[in-house]
Structure formats: structure tokens, C-alpha cells
Amino acid sequence: MDDLSPVLSIQGLAKSFSTPVFRDLSLEIKSQQSVALVGANGAGKSTFIKIILGLVGADSGSVKIWGQDPRNSRVLERVGYLPEVSGFWPELSAREMLFFASKFTDRNQEELVERRENLLSVLGLKNRGARRMDGYSKGMLQRSGLANLLLHDPEFLVLDEPMSGLDPRAQAKLRDILSRLRERGKTLLISSHSLEDIQKLCDRVIVLEKGAKVLDGETSQVLSELERKYQSSEPWDEDPLGDDSGFF
Amino acid sequence: MVFFDRVFWLASLRCLILLRQKLGWMSLIVGGALIPLVLIVARVSFVGPAKIFWDFSLGISFLLQIVLASYLGSHVLDEERARKTLHVLCAGRMTRVQWVWGQVLGTWAFITAMNFIWLLVSAGLSKAIFADAGSWIHLQTQIFVAIEVAIVVGAALLLSMFLRSALAWMSLISVLILLHSVSYLLTILKSQIFQVSGEAEAYEYLFKALYFLPPLEWLDLRVFVGYEEFFEWSQFLSIGALGVAWSLFFVFIAQRRIERLDF
């Protein structure tokens, strides 16, 4: 497969719940790209991620991962997803969760056992990973979620605000892991509010605003454009936080 | 093969989670605590203590299983959605159809395991205290309860895809009560009191329509326990097959419905 072939291809995507979320959104993410998805709260980032993973259906338009429907089991095998709030069963330990996760892939089970132990060790869960997850800190939960994400060695990783709720040390560690995955040629799609993370991890930034793609380009270019917009006090649409003059 | 493999492991995961959840192990404790009560009731009864024991034991087991099956079946989707485990599973591990089958099978297996442990404990106690280990009909009764549990879990999961989980649970319980009492209701309607009102015929048609829903009344053999040693195997298999077909019907509809849901 061509290194720059599209991993994700979206054409004319439209989705509405009670109000429209996306109207005619089109974009492509190529293999080995590391893309940041940026936007204010409510801009549609999480919905966008759920649509590309097949968790939410589009009203119209097409969403393809490697040219196929995202719900296709062969596609699923190559995709990893880390939700904003880690998806975990509090009744299980991290080790048990990884045991079951290994049973949900077609990969060689012996390799997975070795990979599971390595992941637990690298992510600092080797000893504490035997405890039930309802006693974990936010950082440990995020690391368990990351181990779960990486267990089947997916080629396309989708992370929804992975740094949210982590302390600075844990953030630095996670940033380092993601950076190494990027170097290994994984395709990353990261939803984030942190400009520092975006600068360090991504080579492309897509800015969503009210369900539309308002900026899309190289990281440095898009970030300077964002900075210029904020500094010039040019309103994008309206101040999302409202006018607080005279209140405080 | 991959399909069954995924379903099997998800069902195992579901069983393990239920076993560790408060509701799961509390049911086991409640069940265990009720057995001595059943024994006391049977011992103080004047006639047929063994029959009284079996009646109460199977009755409590039946009630516990149906309440658990309807509750767990109607809450699993919301629970997994709130925990985001549904998202993680369906976005990279398995198809939605596998998820439905795994959850139904896991919930059914957990409740049915409790069912047969209960049967074994009851048979042991009955043998030790009343010198009566039960007969084929006790086993047949519990097999039918297991089939009913499969129907209820499938129907509960399906309903929870249309309604909020609490509402799905309550409405299912109402339907279950109705389906278990069709012939009793028809008998009441045919009585003189209702004949006078002239509305009985209309109600009769209404209740006969319930026969087109799952035959839960036929699956309830507890009334025969103690009076019959054996339920005709051919009849038993026919009713059982019909029950299994209903259960599969609900799961098939649920797997069609889940494809349309947004998580």
C-alpha cells in the first residue's frame, strides 16, 4: 500500500441531532499523518470522531477508512480508539481487561501475551495492574486505556482529548509515547485543546467551528493563523463565553 | 469461527462482571438465605412437606431469575454506554451484532448457572430431609425457566433500544405478568359476572391475541410439580423449541435495531 494513501476519506458529511452538527464536510487523512482536531467545546469534535469510527451514523455523505465502511470487521481490527473518559469495567483489573481485549483480536495469542506484559510494564501497571480499576486514579485509568488501545498494535489511532485530567508528569509521559508511535509511522488523529501537545505531536491541524472545517493545514501555519485571529480580536462568530464586562 | 470466538469471550466477560457486581453476588446471597426459610415453611406444613418445599423453592428461583433477567437485559446497553466500554468494543474490537449476542449469551449463562446450582442444592436438601430428590419434571421445569430467561433477556435488550432502561424494565415486567396469566384472565372473563356486562367477548379476543406472543404460560411447569412425575418429552421438546425460536426472534430484531443506533 502507498504510504500516502488515504486512511480516512470523508465526502459531503452531514449530521444533525436536534440542530445540524455537520453540513457538507469533506476531508482526507493520509497514512502516517499525525492530525490534530481542534475546536471549542461543542464544535463537534467528539461527534466527528464517533462518526469516523462508525459509532454514530451520518445522515448523508460517505465515510471510508482504507476505502471501506468503518464498521467492517477488517477495518476495526486496524483501528484503535481512546475515548475522552476512559472506557473500562470497574469490576476488572487492567490485566484482566487486557486479557479479554487480547481475545477480541485475530492476532497470535502468544505474541499478545508478551505484548500485554510489555505494555503493563512500560505503562507502569505491572504491579498495580492486578488491582480492580474502580480504585485507579485518573492517570492510571488513562494508562490502562492506552494499553488497551495499543494491545492489538493498530495502524490508525484515534484519541479523544487524551491529556484531559492528567497531571503534568503523566501528560509528558503520554506525549512521549504518542511521539514514538508517530515516529513508528502510525496514523494519529488527536482531539485536543492543548497547543503544546499539538505543536509537539501533530504535523497537520484541522479546526472545526460549528460543524464546519474553518482551517486545515500545516501545524505552524494553522497555529499562527489561530493566534492572529485571537489577537486581532476578530470575532469568529460570536464570543462563546458571552460578555462579562461589568459583571466582575 | 471468529464470530463465535468473539461472542464466547464477550459472554465470559459479561459473566465475570455480573459475578463481581453487587447485584450478581447479592442475588446468590439472597437465594442462599431464602432456602432455609423454604425448609422451615415445608417442615411446619401439615401435608406433603416435600411438595411444599419444591413449590416454594422453584417459585422463588423462578421469580429471582425473571426479575434478574429483565433487569440485567434492559440495563446492559445503558450501562455499557455510560461506561464507554460499548464505544471501545464497537470501535475496534467487534461488530455490533457480536456485541448483542455476547451480552445476551453472557447474561443468560450467568442466570442459568444460578438456576441449576439452585436446582442441585434443592434436590440435595430435599433428598436429605424429605428423602425425595425430585423427579424428571423438576429438571424439565428448570429447563423451561432457562428458556424463558433467554426470551426475557432478548426482549429486555430489544426494548431498551427503544425506551429508557427503567421504563423498558417496568413495561417488560407488566407484559410478563400478563403473558403468564392469559388463561386465568380468560377464565375470569368467561365467568357470569362479565357475561352480564356484555363486554366479555371483546376482551376475550384481546386476550386471545396474546397467544401470538411468547407462550410463557406453557413454559411454566411449576403447577404440575408434585402431581406429575414426567412431562411428555415430545410435548416438552415442541414447547421448548417454540420458546427458543421466540428468544432468537428477539435477538435477531435487536441486532437489526442496534445497527441503527447512535452511541
Side-chain angles (χ1 to χ4, degrees), chain A residues 123-163:
Chain A
L123 293 168
L125 296 164
K126 188 90 180 165
N127 299 319
R128 286 182 292 178
R131 276 179 12 211
R132 274 174 59 145
M133 284 193 278
D134 50 6
Y136 284 13
S137 65
K138 168 80 185 167
M140 275 182 78
L141 283 177
Q142 200 73 337
R143 276 182 280 152
S144 308
L146 195 66
N148 194 18
L149 165 88
L150 296 174
L151 184 72
H152 64 301
D153 198 19
E155 293 161 55
F156 180 31
L157 284 80
V158 182
L159 303 101
D160 193 358
E161 301 192 19
M163 308 292 177

Side-chain angles (χ1 to χ4, degrees), chain B residues 4-262:
Chain B
F4 294 111
D5 203 41
R6 297 271 207 285
V7 168
F8 170 79
W9 282 109
L10 181 62
S12 310
L13 171 63
R14 173 77 174 148
C15 277
L16 181 63
I17 287 167
L18 286 176
L19 198 61
R20 290 186 182 172
Q21 275 183 350
K22 206 177 280 178
L23 187 70
W25 56 259
M26 280 294 282
S27 315
L28 291 173
I29 291 174
V30 168
L34 283 171
I35 286 201
L37 193 71
V38 173
L39 275 174
I40 292 167
V41 171
R43 293 294 287 183
V44 298
S45 65
F46 294 108
V47 281
K51 174 171 166 40
I52 300 289
F53 172 78
W54 277 109
D55 275 356
F56 271 76
S57 174
L58 297 185
I60 290 168
S61 156
F62 169 80
L63 276 179
L64 265 179
Q65 287 182 69
I66 297 305
V67 170
L68 260 184
S70 54
Y71 183 85
L72 296 174
S74 56
H75 283 71
V76 62
L77 181 65
D78 272 1
E79 187 182 277
E80 292 267 308
R81 196 165 13 198
R83 290 173 164 189
K84 303 259 183 194
T85 43
L86 178 69
H87 301 74
V88 172
L89 286 174
C90 292
R93 299 284 193 246
M94 60 181 57
T95 61
R96 293 176 180 211
V97 171
Q98 287 166 339
W99 185 88
V100 166
W101 280 97
Q103 296 295 351
V104 169
L105 195 64
T107 309
W108 176 82
F110 174 78
I111 298 171
T112 301
M114 279 176 61
N115 175 358
F116 285 100
I117 290 170
W118 186 291
L119 181 65
L120 282 176
V121 171
S122 295
L125 286 172
S126 180
K127 175 78 180 161
I129 297 166
F130 307 110
D132 171 14
S135 63
W136 278 113
I137 199 164
H138 296 94
L139 179 64
Q140 289 175 325
T141 304
Q142 294 311 83
I143 290 173
F144 270 2
V145 174
I147 292 172
E148 181 166 345
V149 165
I151 296 174
V152 171
V153 173
L157 180 60
L158 176 63
L159 263 181
S160 73
M161 292 176 187
F162 293 94
L163 303 169
R164 286 178 186 278
S165 45
L167 194 59
W169 183 42
M170 285 187 285
S171 48
L172 184 62
I173 290 280
S174 314
V175 173
L176 292 177
I177 292 170
L178 202 62
L179 290 178
H180 270 281
S181 48
V182 180
S183 49
Y184 297 109
L185 290 168
L186 279 171
T187 309
I188 294 169
L189 284 171
K190 281 177 184 165
S191 70
Q192 284 299 312
I193 306 160
F194 279 88
Q195 291 295 337
V196 175
S197 74
E199 291 173 352
E201 207 173 307
Y203 280 111
E204 204 174 314
Y205 281 119
L206 189 69
F207 284 113
K208 275 184 179 166
L210 293 175
Y211 283 126
F212 291 99
L213 288 172
L216 299 190
E217 230 182 3
W218 298 353
L219 290 172
D220 192 354
L221 294 187
R222 285 172 303 122
V223 282
F224 301 115
V225 169
Y227 300 114
E228 290 198 25
E229 285 298 303
F230 193 78
F231 200 76
E232 276 297 321
W233 281 108
S234 58
Q235 204 176 359
F236 176 80
L237 289 173
S238 308
I239 298 172
L242 186 61
V244 171
W246 269 105
S247 156
L248 293 176
F249 172 75
F250 285 128
V251 180
F252 278 121
I253 303 280
Q255 74 179 47
R256 297 282 296 179
R257 173 65 187 159
I258 202 168
E259 293 287 1
R260 293 167 179 270
L261 287 184
D262 284 343

